[in-house]
């Protein structure tokens, strides 16, 4: 989103009945899809705001604009009711602002919806003794069951999957690790706040072995022989865990290859991004 100007308002010259009248409008910037973005910053009476808003929408309509995005900081939350009554609706909310949208043309709008997924990671950390790093959680689905599971967590905004997996292991167990590959991923729906979920099962190599648990969330942690871990009764209940075990065994037998991150330049965002690919399969294709 483009940076806002110092003022939320601007003026345009309009001629009507041979008189020049100055109309105050909301200051906006064009988006990439034929719409406008307004970043509010000034407090004002809602009645005056509605008058300026209506004039602005009329102006944008004459210009052939489509979607209107209004970014409303928390200190201007008193204007929400006025915007909703004018036909705006909530698009998304962040800790410091609300984003409301409006569609000017007749017919169905093409404004993209809010983010539909959260992204999670699970970290399978196995040492040279074929011991897996496992934890017991103080909350969640496994609370109070006595079950041992691999560390899991949610990827932070702007965080890469490979970085998140290493971070979660460190936070929960104190163990340093090196990301190896994504073994598999699962998509599920109607999860946290009715969002969909992308869960990436990652394999990591331990760089340290001493355990220091995060006492707020973790009850206990240990290195457990993989066969003992895989023999837990919980494996019969959670099919995902059984599949992960089978994938790991195929991996160490050389019958399976996951996806490793390759740093690439993105044309859609600033800086580098990662492309996850089967490097072994790519090498085989190139050698043919």
């Amino acid at each position: 989103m483009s940076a806002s100007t110092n003022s939320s308002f601007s003026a345009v010259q309009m001629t009507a009945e041979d008189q020049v009248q100055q109309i105050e409008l909301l200051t906006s910037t064009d988006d990439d899809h034929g719409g406008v973005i307004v970043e509010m910053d000034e407090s004002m009476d809602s009645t005056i705001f509605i008058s300026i808003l209506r004039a602005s929408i009329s102006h944008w309509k004459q210009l052939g604009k489509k979607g209107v995005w209004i970014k409303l900081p928390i200190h201007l939350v008193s204007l929400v009711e006025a915007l909703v009554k004018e036909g705006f609706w909530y698009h998304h909310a962040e800790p410091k602002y609300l984003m409301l949208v409006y569609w000017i043309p007749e017919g169905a709008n093409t404004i993209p919806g809010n983010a539909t997924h959260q992204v999670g990671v699970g970290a399978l950390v196995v040492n040279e003794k074929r011991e897996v790093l496992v934890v017991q959680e103080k909350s969640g689905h496994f609370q109070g069951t006595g079950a041992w599971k691999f560390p899991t967590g949610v990827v932070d905004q702007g965080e890469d999957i490979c970085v998140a997996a290493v971070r979660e292991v460190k936070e929960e167990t104190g163990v340093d690790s090196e990301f190896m590959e994504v073994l598999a991923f699962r998509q599920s729906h109607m999860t946290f706040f009715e969002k969909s979920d992308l869960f990436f099962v990652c394999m990591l190599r331990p760089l340290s072995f001493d355990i220091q648990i995060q006492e707020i969330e973790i009850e206990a942690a240990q290195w457990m022989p993989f066969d003992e871990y895989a023999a837990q009764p919980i494996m019969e209940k959670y099919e995902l865990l059984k599949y992960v075990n089978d994938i790991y065994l195929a991996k160490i037998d050389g019958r399976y290859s996951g996806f490793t991150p390759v740093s690439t330049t993105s044309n859609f965002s600033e800086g580098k991004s990662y492309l996850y690919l089967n490097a072994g399969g790519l090498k085989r294709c190139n050698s043919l």
Side-chain angles (χ1 to χ4, degrees):
M1 181 175 294
S2 301
S4 62
T5 61
N6 292 329
S7 174
S8 296
F9 310 101
S10 62
V12 298
Q13 296 283 331
M14 298 185 69
T15 301
E17 297 179 356
D18 297 327
Q19 292 183 342
V20 177
Q21 184 179 9
Q22 193 174 58
I23 304 292
E24 195 173 27
L25 301 177
L26 294 171
T27 297
S28 66
T29 56
D30 293 341
D31 65 19
D32 295 330
H33 305 283
V36 295
I37 302 166
V38 177
E39 296 197 27
M40 298 292 299
D41 58 6
E42 296 182 9
S43 298
M44 67 182 311
D45 178 79
S46 61
T47 302
I48 297 174
F49 173 68
I50 287 300
S51 177
I52 297 174
L53 175 66
R54 289 174 178 173
S56 300
I57 291 176
S58 178
H59 176 65
W60 294 325
K61 186 175 183 179
Q62 292 176 12
L63 295 178
K65 299 300 181 182
K66 299 177 181 179
V68 179
W69 302 79
I70 292 189
K71 183 178 181 181
L72 203 64
I74 293 298
H75 71 273
L76 297 183
V77 68
S78 60
L79 298 179
V80 169
E81 182 179 2
L83 283 164
V84 172
K85 287 183 176 180
E86 291 300 307
F88 280 77
W89 67 91
Y90 297 127
H91 186 269
H92 66 272
E94 294 293 339
K96 294 184 179 181
Y97 73 87
L98 296 173
M99 184 69 78
L100 294 97
V101 291
Y102 180 86
W103 185 249
I104 295 177
E106 298 292 334
N109 76 77
T110 59
I111 292 176
N114 186 23
T116 59
H117 286 68
Q118 74 169 3
V119 179
V121 290
L124 188 67
V125 187
V126 186
N127 62 24
E128 293 181 353
K129 300 178 183 178
R130 285 189 62 179
E131 296 173 329
V132 60
L133 181 62
V134 292
V135 299
Q136 288 181 334
E137 296 179 333
K138 290 184 176 180
S139 61
H141 294 298
F142 299 99
Q143 176 186 6
T145 64
W148 295 94
K149 58 180 286 291
F150 46 76
T152 58
V154 176
V155 178
D156 292 336
Q157 183 174 335
E159 185 179 38
D160 294 303
I161 293 168
C162 52
V163 175
V166 172
R167 174 183 55 78
E168 285 292 343
V169 171
K170 181 67 174 180
E171 288 181 355
E172 293 191 4
T173 69
V175 172
D176 295 311
S177 60
E178 178 185 10
F179 184 89
M180 294 179 64
E181 60 188 50
V182 172
L183 292 176
F185 72 91
R186 177 203 63 190
Q187 182 185 33
S188 58
H189 307 285
M190 297 299 291
T191 57
F192 192 63
F193 288 117
E194 300 183 355
K195 298 291 185 181
S196 296
D197 181 83
L198 285 173
F199 181 73
F200 291 84
V201 181
C202 306
M203 187 172 181
L204 287 79
R205 178 187 297 111
L207 300 178
S208 67
F209 303 94
D210 292 336
I211 293 174
Q212 296 181 346
I213 65 171
Q214 180 193 57
E215 296 184 359
I216 296 176
E217 298 180 354
I218 303 301
E219 186 70 39
Q222 65 169 312
W223 292 99
M224 176 180 289
F226 181 83
D227 291 342
E228 182 181 341
Y229 162 76
Q232 292 182 98
I234 196 173
M235 298 299 169
E236 297 301 321
K237 182 178 180 181
Y238 291 92
E239 193 172 24
L240 169 68
L241 298 179
K242 291 177 63 177
Y243 271 112
V244 172
N245 294 343
D246 291 342
I247 290 171
Y248 167 73
L249 293 174
K251 170 67 180 177
I252 62 174
D253 287 343
R255 296 181 288 108
Y256 185 91
S257 181
F259 298 88
T260 55
V262 175
S263 180
T264 62
T265 301
S266 174
N267 294 327
F268 305 103
S269 60
E270 296 181 1
K272 295 283 188 178
S273 63
Y274 285 104
L275 175 67
Y276 291 82
L277 52 84
N278 183 325
L282 185 63
K283 291 178 181 177
R284 286 193 295 271
C285 290
N286 290 337
S287 66
L288 295 178

